[in-house]
Each structure stands twice: as C-alpha cells, then as structure tokens.
Amino acid sequence: MNSVRARLLSTLAGQLGNPHGMLGKGVAFVLNRGNKAAIAGAVEAAGLAPGGTAADVGFGGGAGLSLLLERVGAGGVVHGVEISADMLARARASHRGAIDAGRLRLLEGSLTALPLPDDGLDAAITVNTVYFVPDLAAACAELARVVRPGGRLVIGIGDPDAMAKLPFTSYGFTLRPVPDVIAALERAGCAVEHRRPAGTPIPHHLLVATPR
C-alpha cells in the first residue's frame, strides 16, 4: 500500500512540474483554480501599463496569460514560456485570437534558458515554479536578464513550511526558505520587495524584484 501511495504522489508531483497527457488536462484545471489568487497577485504586483510587454514563465494552465493580456491591452505583447508541450498546445487552442493578432507569443523554454532577448520585458511573472529548478541562482539570473532595468520580476512561492506539510512535496520539490530566494534575486542584481498576498489556499509569498 505504501509503495502504491508513493507512486501516486510521485506521479502527481511530476505532473505539477510538467503537466502532460490525459492527466495533465486535469492538472491544468487544478493549477488554474488553486493558483488563481496567487497569479492574480503576481499580475497586480507586476505593475504593467497598457501597451507593455510581459511574460508568464511556466504558465501551466494559462490563467496568467489571460490576466496579462487584459493588463497590457490591444497594444501590448505577452510571451508565454513553458517546458510542457501539452500546456503549449492547450494555450494555443484557447488563445487563438490573441496569437493571430500578434498579442500572445508562446515559446518552449525553461526558467534557466529563456528564449527571450536581454532587457526585452517590462515585467515577468512566474508562480509556483522555482520548486522544480535545481539551480535557483541560474533561474534568477536568467529572469533578471530578460526584464529591463526598472521593470518588475515577480516570483510567487508557497510558504515552505506550509508546503512541507503537503504529502506530494517530498517527491521532486525543492522547498527553499524565502530568504534564500530573496538572496538569489539580490545576487542577480535586483532590489526585492517581499509581499504576503491574502486569499491564497496556503500562505503565499510574492517576491517583487526590480533589476537595477
């Protein structure tokens, strides 16, 4: 029984890091619903103006793409970056109009290898993704690289103590102390503001970083 439970929890953890297949469709729905408040907080913290250029890195179910598109309006551009081919296909199907209009550009990539130019974004968000990145310093440096000086980079993470109580986070998650993530952003050349949004299913942290 324990081995069956371990396999189920390991599968769930793997899907959360890289949703795919039939199970991934259900995971995408759960991600959008469970992360709704955290994603909305990250979009708000990004401080985008109409006509801006933004990215959602590791967008999963795609809720952040819709919110960012609303923020930047008809004159703006949103880049969605994902490692999951299935989530990219899902986003292409659900955002066809924005893609055809050139307002949404979907790209395969990871937190440590972003297919974006230096200083090309006004803002970038990434929510509940850094648990799956072995090299936090490289991810923060890469995110800081693509956001212009004075722009905003927002990393959203669940409180590590609360996350550690969830049964699946012992399978493939790296739950880092919040000060460690802040320090990595500072080493990447950012000033960091720490916010605690309300209304999330578990306690959450928003790290709002400004590249210098």
Side-chain angles (χ1 to χ4, degrees), residues 43-181:
V43 171
E44 179 70 25
L48 285 157
T53 301
D56 186 350
V57 181
F59 59 77
L65 299 177
S66 298
L67 293 176
L68 288 172
L69 285 165
E70 290 175 8
R71 283 280 173 164
V72 301
V77 174
V78 173
H79 300 269
V81 181
E82 249 295 340
I83 61 171
S84 169
D86 286 358
M87 293 302 98
L88 285 164
R90 184 178 191 274
R92 290 188 188 102
S94 59
H95 295 282
R96 176 55 57 193
I99 293 170
D100 290 346
R103 298 179 56 228
L104 177 62
R105 301 169 185 174
L106 298 176
L107 305 162
E108 184 177 357
S110 71
L111 278 165
T112 54
L114 294 172
L116 297 168
D118 295 357
D119 303 332
L121 303 175
D122 297 307
I125 69 167
T126 188
V127 177
N128 289 338
T129 56
V130 297
Y131 323 122
F132 308 106
V133 179
D135 192 340
L136 178 64
C140 290
E142 184 69 345
L143 287 164
R145 176 185 68 79
V146 300
V147 176
R148 63 171 175 79
R152 287 188 178 180
L153 156 60
V154 185
I155 295 180
I157 55 174
D159 183 80
D161 292 335
M163 294 283 288
K165 297 175 182 177
L166 301 175
F168 52 82
T169 55
S170 59
Y171 298 88
F173 280 66
T174 300
L175 302 177
R176 300 177 176 90
V178 175
D180 288 4
V181 185

Side-chain angles (χ1 to χ4, degrees), residues 30-49:
V30 171
L31 288 173
N32 278 348
R33 185 171 182 176
N35 293 339
K36 182 178 180 180
I39 294 169
V43 171
E44 179 70 25
L48 285 157

